[in-house]
Amino acid sequence: MELPESEKRSLNFIESIIEEDLVENKNDSRVHLRFPPEPNGYLHIGLAKSICLNFGLANEYNGVCILRFDDTNPEKEDVEYVDSIKEDIVWLGFNWEGEPHFASDYFEQLYDWAVQLIKNNKAYVDEQPQELISEQRGVPTRPGTESPFRNRPVEESLDLFKRMKEGEFETGAMILRSKIDMSSPNMHMRDPIMYRILHQEHHRTGNKWCIYPMYDWAHGQSDFIEGITHSICTLEFEVHRPLYDWALDQINDGDYRPRQIEFARLNLSYTVMSKRKIIELVQNNVVRGWDDPRMPTISGFRRRGYTPESIRNFADRIGIAKRNNVIDVSLLEFSVREHLNQIAPRAMAVINPVKLIITNYPEGQVEELELSNNQNDPEAGKRLVPFTREVYIERDDFMEDPPKKFFRLGPGREVRLVGAYIIKYEDYKKDANGVVTEIYCTYDPDSKSGGSGAKRKVKGTIHWVSADKAIDAEVRLYDRLFLDEDPAGHKDKNFKEFLNPDSLKILDNCKLEPSLANAKPGDKFQFPRLGYFCIDPDSSNDKLVINRTVPLRDSWAKKK
Ligand code: ATP
Ligand code: MG
């Protein structure tokens, strides 16, 4: 269907490339993409951007997108990560074509191609120590030093490479290098490493291999094996592109050829976005796990109550850039609010309760008030909320000596209880420590919401929960995990120095309206005036545990 001119957005640069390729009938006009995570951690929001981009383009151009695990580094990889990555992609709303692929499935083929390279005098075994090899690489402005093994006989390299594979040598004893150009201004072209020895069990191939291919030898070749047409990655790989192309030149004879395209990675303010740093937070118990609701991981956001739609909308909104930039985390929160506002049913909760007694309301009487589940969505229906003589209200909705502009409860004040009656302050009681323990009011029986009395207006409306019927809950309030906009951006300081000591606040005496008794982990609600909330899997039969997903308004914008 053609969009009207006004609703068309202009193509991003990757779409332009794909459309040109389609016009030129490149690669038989296939659009074949991949999302290639390394299974060395849980997915973070940056990777979600890459997922939305690759799977989104496949949908847009009637192509396919596969899932490939880039599992060439067994020291850091694990099946736990493979499983979590699959779960997160599905949760985000995408399906990969066919079964997941693994770079490790290609180890045999990659080995055979490496042997071919040696035979073609394009690769050699180097026995020098690692540090010396790095030193000889030199600096971009001056040519590096060639290894004394660079011109050893092909037969010798073939023999050594085979014995490397057979496990004859120690980890790190020698490497296979490509023979390219030791004076290239691009350091990646100075005889880069293709294979290293690593006596380390792999989560899929077990102990079959003790040599493992490097990223640059595995990635483009995997693309080639799978028939990928556009290999989209982040900008730091731009300098690898000549090597990507060189590696393909060594094995490619037909017309088909994958093309590497780089885009700017997502950076979010007040967040760290590298798996290495995120793993550190988990391992040092800074957070409660990968899915801690403060984490920038997909599983953390899920537990916190973000929806897949809100993350996809966010990814759309920020677009695709060619230059690195930082996105304000409040834009993500905006997308979350925007979606939850449409879908989250309303319910009443008091998170810091104080008891309020309506002295002229009959003891033992229960009125079932009909409240709408979502004012913006009549389809969401209504529910019954019990009203009784004793209710809980928020402690900070009452002041003993309120200033003029305080439109809530206090001496001489009247307020409306949401969906119920107007009440008038009468008295209160304090304990020995000066803490208010009970507030006494009277109600106006003619002021019931929705009835004829509803016409009478008072300045303030506060929320409440019946004290007799309330159910108990623990509520977890979150704030940003870091106090600095760019916690990882300080040369002389570790990012953990910027952790927010108040990023988690637990309130364990919260009161909820009884309709929440059957709420299940993952259910989402708007609690009026408090924000959007999501039931946590830590909930038990006795006690609900609830995460605040996001407050109703951006409180950080105010602070700034
Ligand atoms: P990290 O730097 O967090 O360790 P990575 O690049 O090592 O990430 P991979 O699992 O190798 O993580 O990345 C999978 C894909 O996601 C790659 O194509 C990579 O370019 C892309 N990607 C990684 N980080 C981001 C990001 N912040 N924004 C967008 N895409 C990203
Ligand atoms: Mg990586």
Side-chain angles (χ1 to χ4, degrees):
M1 194 190 77
E2 275 285 285
L3 283 174
E5 207 58 41
S6 60
E7 286 179 35
K8 273 187 196 165
R9 69 171 169 82
S10 55
L11 297 181
N12 66 46
F13 78 97
I14 300 181
E15 291 168 326
S16 301
I17 291 174
I18 292 179
E19 297 204 358
E20 278 163 30
D21 288 351
L22 287 174
V23 168
E24 289 173 23
N25 198 22
K26 262 193 203 155
N27 299 325
D28 303 323
S29 293
R30 288 183 306 112
V31 176
H32 201 131
L33 304 156
R34 88 285 173 262
F35 173 62
E38 187 181 350
N40 61 350
Y42 282 57
L43 294 181
H44 54 63
I45 180 82
L47 295 156
K49 175 171 176 179
S50 176
I51 292 170
C52 292
L53 175 62
N54 282 291
F55 286 95
L57 286 169
N59 286 340
E60 194 179 336
Y61 292 104
N62 258 321
V64 298
C65 183
I66 62 161
L67 168 61
R68 179 207 312 146
F69 289 99
D70 211 340
D71 56 346
T72 55
N73 187 5
E75 283 171 305
K76 292 184 176 161
E77 297 162 2
D78 198 277
V79 273
E80 179 194 349
Y81 302 139
V82 170
D83 294 340
S84 74
I85 289 170
K86 290 197 259 183
E87 184 187 353
D88 289 349
I89 297 172
V90 171
W91 179 78
L92 278 172
F94 297 107
N95 296 299
W96 51 87
E97 179 85 2
E99 289 296 310
H101 298 230
F102 292 84
S104 56
D105 289 342
Y106 315 138
F107 280 173
E108 204 71 56
Q109 173 72 79
L110 293 173
Y111 176 81
D112 291 345
W113 274 331
V115 168
Q116 198 53 51
L117 250 66
I118 302 174
K119 287 184 181 159
N120 296 347
N121 200 15
K122 293 288 180 62
Y124 60 100
V125 171
D126 195 339
E127 294 174 57
Q128 297 183 99
Q130 196 45 251
E131 309 78 66
L132 191 56
I133 292 175
S134 312
E135 231 177 82
Q136 289 168 349
R137 282 241 159 81
V139 290
T141 47
R142 266 178 288 128
T145 311
E146 291 189 357
S147 163
F149 295 102
R150 193 173 202 262
N151 293 312
R152 74 192 315 168
V154 164
E155 290 311 319
E156 236 176 75
S157 283
L158 278 176
D159 174 58
L160 286 170
F161 187 48
K162 182 157 167 274
R163 286 159 63 196
M164 277 167 68
K165 179 194 179 207
E166 284 164 359
E168 209 175 295
F169 309 115
E170 302 273 290
T171 291
M174 52 190 77
I175 55 171
L176 183 71
R177 293 177 79 173
S178 347
K179 193 186 277 192
I180 307 182
D181 180 3
M182 284 305 287
S183 54
S184 169
N186 181 337
M187 301 297 284
H188 294 279
M189 300 297 273
R190 294 189 178 181
D191 292 10
I193 305 177
M194 289 171 69
Y195 270 92
R196 59 197 174 129
I197 303 171
L198 189 64
H199 292 275
Q200 166 85 45
E201 194 171 304
H202 184 283
H203 63 103
R204 294 189 82 243
T205 57
N207 290 305
K208 175 154 193 247
W209 294 89
C210 63
I211 55 171
Y212 290 96
M214 303 302 287
Y215 174 90
D216 290 306
W217 181 243
H219 203 90
Q221 319 309 80
S222 301
D223 286 342
F224 183 77
I225 292 168
E226 293 161 353
I228 301 300
T229 54
H230 301 85
S231 180
I232 302 171
C233 59
T234 35
L235 280 178
E236 66 275 20
F237 291 102
E238 192 172 3
V239 283
H240 293 244
R241 194 178 344 128
L243 183 51
Y244 179 96
D245 288 331
W246 181 90
L248 285 174
D249 287 341
Q250 308 312 309
I251 58 162
N252 182 2
D253 38 21
D255 283 341
Y256 156 65
R257 192 180 177 99
R259 167 174 185 179
Q260 179 180 306
I261 304 168
E262 308 87 16
F263 74 105
R265 62 169 46 230
L266 168 65
N267 298 303
L268 263 190
S269 62
Y270 296 95
T271 312
V272 292
M273 197 96 79
S274 110
K275 280 187 258 174
R276 195 176 55 74
K277 295 202 173 62
I278 294 174
I279 215 167
E280 227 182 298
L281 297 172
V282 177
Q283 284 168 352
N284 291 319
N285 297 317
V286 169
V287 291
R288 295 174 167 195
W290 287 101
D291 67 346
D292 186 300
R294 292 166 291 177
M295 290 282 267
T297 52
I298 306 298
S299 49
F301 287 132
R302 175 163 63 236
R303 185 165 181 178
R304 183 151 172 170
Y306 285 31
T307 58
E309 290 86 342
S310 59
I311 294 177
R312 294 202 305 261
N313 288 343
F314 168 72
D316 256 7
R317 219 163 234 148
I318 57 179
I320 300 302
K322 272 195 214 186
R323 220 174 277 182
N324 278 317
N325 58 355
V326 180
I327 304 291
D328 195 328
V329 69
S330 59
L331 192 62
L332 175 59
E333 291 164 354
F334 172 83
S335 295
V336 173
R337 279 190 199 97
E338 182 185 55
H339 187 230
L340 290 178
N341 185 36
Q342 296 163 26
I343 63 150
R346 278 51 173 168
M348 283 205 283
V350 174
I351 59 174
N352 189 10
V354 61
K355 194 175 264 185
L356 182 145
I357 299 167
I358 303 162
T359 52
N360 62 340
Y361 194 86
E363 262 180 76
Q365 177 168 310
V366 181
E367 259 178 286
E368 295 287 348
L369 304 174
E370 208 178 48
L371 268 65
S372 72
N373 288 330
N374 189 343
Q375 330 55 300
N376 304 332
D377 176 13
E379 306 249 308
K382 298 192 166 189
R383 68 189 189 286
L384 295 178
V385 181
F387 183 74
T388 51
R389 185 170 190 266
E390 298 190 0
V391 298
Y392 291 111
I393 64 164
E394 297 291 346
R395 197 162 271 287
D396 60 10
D397 278 340
F398 173 76
M399 280 182 87
E400 297 168 52
D401 186 14
K404 249 204 169 123
K405 287 250 158 102
F406 185 80
F407 297 124
R408 290 171 274 167
L409 203 57
R413 305 292 165 96
E414 271 192 313
V415 294
R416 175 174 289 284
L417 294 175
V418 177
Y421 296 96
I422 293 173
I423 55 168
K424 190 167 125 213
Y425 167 88
E426 301 291 345
D427 199 5
Y428 71 98
K429 194 159 95 187
K430 279 201 231 184
D431 67 11
N433 302 318
V435 178
V436 175
T437 52
E438 285 181 350
I439 302 163
Y440 305 100
C441 290
T442 49
Y443 85 118
D444 171 1
D446 292 329
S447 65
K448 190 166 171 178
S449 290
S452 55
K455 294 201 180 67
R456 187 154 88 82
K457 283 232 162 71
V458 286
K459 280 235 167 88
T461 301
I462 63 175
H463 59 273
W464 54 275
V465 168
S466 157
D468 307 342
K469 307 283 180 185
I471 54 176
D472 293 322
E474 171 182 314
V475 168
R476 298 176 181 168
L477 301 178
Y478 301 102
D479 197 352
R480 292 183 180 162
L481 190 51
F482 295 96
L483 292 170
D484 191 82
E485 273 190 61
D486 184 14
H490 300 261
K491 279 210 180 72
D492 47 341
K493 283 191 173 151
N494 184 285
F495 72 101
K496 293 205 291 302
E497 291 183 38
F498 301 101
L499 281 164
N500 178 1
D502 301 317
S503 61
L504 168 63
K505 198 164 147 196
I506 297 179
L507 302 175
D508 57 7
N509 178 34
C510 306
K511 305 291 179 183
L512 312 175
E513 65 168 66
S515 74
L516 284 164
N518 298 318
K520 301 269 168 308
D523 287 355
K524 297 167 179 62
F525 299 94
Q526 186 199 90
F527 295 159
R529 301 172 70 216
L530 299 173
Y532 295 99
F533 291 78
C534 181
I535 311 292
D536 191 84
D538 281 351
S539 299
S540 66
N541 285 338
D542 316 327
K543 197 180 200 183
L544 281 176
V545 175
I546 309 184
N547 299 308
R548 177 153 72 184
T549 309
V550 67
L552 289 184
R553 271 173 290 277
D554 183 0
S555 56
W556 276 71
K558 246 189 302 177
K559 278 184 217 170
K560 274 192 186 169

